[in-house]
PDB file of all heavy atoms in Angstrom:
ATOM      1  N   SER A 112      -4.092 -17.473 -12.371  1.00  0.00           N
ATOM      2  CA  SER A 112      -4.974 -18.163 -13.320  1.00  0.00           C
ATOM      3  C   SER A 112      -4.848 -19.673 -13.204  1.00  0.00           C
ATOM      4  O   SER A 112      -5.832 -20.427 -13.280  1.00  0.00           O
ATOM      5  CB  SER A 112      -4.668 -17.728 -14.745  1.00  0.00           C
ATOM      6  OG  SER A 112      -4.948 -16.353 -14.934  1.00  0.00           O
ATOM      7  N   GLY A 113      -3.604 -20.147 -12.980  1.00  0.00           N
ATOM      8  CA  GLY A 113      -3.385 -21.580 -12.844  1.00  0.00           C
ATOM      9  C   GLY A 113      -4.057 -22.147 -11.605  1.00  0.00           C
ATOM     10  O   GLY A 113      -4.761 -23.180 -11.662  1.00  0.00           O
ATOM     11  N   VAL A 114      -3.892 -21.455 -10.480  1.00  0.00           N
ATOM     12  CA  VAL A 114      -4.506 -21.905  -9.234  1.00  0.00           C
ATOM     13  C   VAL A 114      -6.028 -21.817  -9.324  1.00  0.00           C
ATOM     14  O   VAL A 114      -6.750 -22.720  -8.886  1.00  0.00           O
ATOM     15  CB  VAL A 114      -3.998 -21.078  -8.033  1.00  0.00           C
ATOM     16  CG1 VAL A 114      -4.713 -21.503  -6.739  1.00  0.00           C
ATOM     17  CG2 VAL A 114      -2.488 -21.231  -7.883  1.00  0.00           C
ATOM     18  N   ALA A 115      -6.515 -20.697  -9.917  1.00  0.00           N
ATOM     19  CA  ALA A 115      -7.975 -20.540 -10.076  1.00  0.00           C
ATOM     20  C   ALA A 115      -8.535 -21.596 -11.005  1.00  0.00           C
ATOM     21  O   ALA A 115      -9.657 -22.094 -10.784  1.00  0.00           O
ATOM     22  CB  ALA A 115      -8.269 -19.138 -10.638  1.00  0.00           C
ATOM     23  N   ALA A 116      -7.776 -21.953 -12.045  1.00  0.00           N
ATOM     24  CA  ALA A 116      -8.230 -23.007 -12.963  1.00  0.00           C
ATOM     25  C   ALA A 116      -8.398 -24.335 -12.245  1.00  0.00           C
ATOM     26  O   ALA A 116      -9.355 -25.088 -12.503  1.00  0.00           O
ATOM     27  CB  ALA A 116      -7.245 -23.125 -14.120  1.00  0.00           C
ATOM     28  N   LEU A 117      -7.467 -24.638 -11.360  1.00  0.00           N
ATOM     29  CA  LEU A 117      -7.606 -25.914 -10.600  1.00  0.00           C
ATOM     30  C   LEU A 117      -8.826 -25.877  -9.696  1.00  0.00           C
ATOM     31  O   LEU A 117      -9.605 -26.853  -9.660  1.00  0.00           O
ATOM     32  CB  LEU A 117      -6.318 -26.116  -9.761  1.00  0.00           C
ATOM     33  CG  LEU A 117      -5.035 -26.439 -10.503  1.00  0.00           C
ATOM     34  CD1 LEU A 117      -3.851 -26.510  -9.552  1.00  0.00           C
ATOM     35  CD2 LEU A 117      -5.173 -27.744 -11.281  1.00  0.00           C
ATOM     36  N   GLY A 118      -8.991 -24.773  -8.962  1.00  0.00           N
ATOM     37  CA  GLY A 118     -10.134 -24.677  -8.095  1.00  0.00           C
ATOM     38  C   GLY A 118     -11.452 -24.644  -8.824  1.00  0.00           C
ATOM     39  O   GLY A 118     -12.400 -25.352  -8.462  1.00  0.00           O
ATOM     40  N   ALA A 119     -11.509 -23.840  -9.885  1.00  0.00           N
ATOM     41  CA  ALA A 119     -12.748 -23.754 -10.675  1.00  0.00           C
ATOM     42  C   ALA A 119     -13.036 -25.048 -11.406  1.00  0.00           C
ATOM     43  O   ALA A 119     -14.193 -25.423 -11.604  1.00  0.00           O
ATOM     44  CB  ALA A 119     -12.651 -22.586 -11.664  1.00  0.00           C
ATOM     45  N   GLY A 120     -11.964 -25.721 -11.835  1.00  0.00           N
ATOM     46  CA  GLY A 120     -12.144 -27.004 -12.496  1.00  0.00           C
ATOM     47  C   GLY A 120     -12.769 -28.030 -11.572  1.00  0.00           C
ATOM     48  O   GLY A 120     -13.684 -28.771 -11.946  1.00  0.00           O
ATOM     49  N   PHE A 121     -12.297 -28.067 -10.309  1.00  0.00           N
ATOM     50  CA  PHE A 121     -12.876 -28.991  -9.324  1.00  0.00           C
ATOM     51  C   PHE A 121     -14.333 -28.649  -9.042  1.00  0.00           C
ATOM     52  O   PHE A 121     -15.198 -29.541  -8.975  1.00  0.00           O
ATOM     53  CB  PHE A 121     -12.066 -28.931  -8.035  1.00  0.00           C
ATOM     54  CG  PHE A 121     -12.664 -29.736  -6.908  1.00  0.00           C
ATOM     55  CD1 PHE A 121     -12.488 -31.110  -6.838  1.00  0.00           C
ATOM     56  CD2 PHE A 121     -13.387 -29.098  -5.912  1.00  0.00           C
ATOM     57  CE1 PHE A 121     -13.062 -31.851  -5.819  1.00  0.00           C
ATOM     58  CE2 PHE A 121     -13.940 -29.838  -4.872  1.00  0.00           C
ATOM     59  CZ  PHE A 121     -13.771 -31.196  -4.822  1.00  0.00           C
ATOM     60  N   MET A 122     -14.613 -27.330  -8.879  1.00  0.00           N
ATOM     61  CA  MET A 122     -15.987 -26.931  -8.613  1.00  0.00           C
ATOM     62  C   MET A 122     -16.899 -27.230  -9.803  1.00  0.00           C
ATOM     63  O   MET A 122     -18.044 -27.675  -9.604  1.00  0.00           O
ATOM     64  CB  MET A 122     -16.021 -25.435  -8.282  1.00  0.00           C
ATOM     65  CG  MET A 122     -15.311 -25.086  -7.001  1.00  0.00           C
ATOM     66  SD  MET A 122     -15.148 -23.289  -6.721  1.00  0.00           S
ATOM     67  CE  MET A 122     -16.872 -22.785  -6.681  1.00  0.00           C
ATOM     68  N   SER A 123     -16.400 -27.010 -11.006  1.00  0.00           N
ATOM     69  CA  SER A 123     -17.212 -27.300 -12.201  1.00  0.00           C
ATOM     70  C   SER A 123     -17.505 -28.793 -12.309  1.00  0.00           C
ATOM     71  O   SER A 123     -18.612 -29.199 -12.674  1.00  0.00           O
ATOM     72  CB  SER A 123     -16.482 -26.811 -13.448  1.00  0.00           C
ATOM     73  OG  SER A 123     -16.292 -25.401 -13.427  1.00  0.00           O
TER      74      SER A 123
END
Side-chain angles (χ1 to χ4, degrees):
S112 296
V114 177
L117 291 175
F121 174 80
M122 293 172 62
S123 297

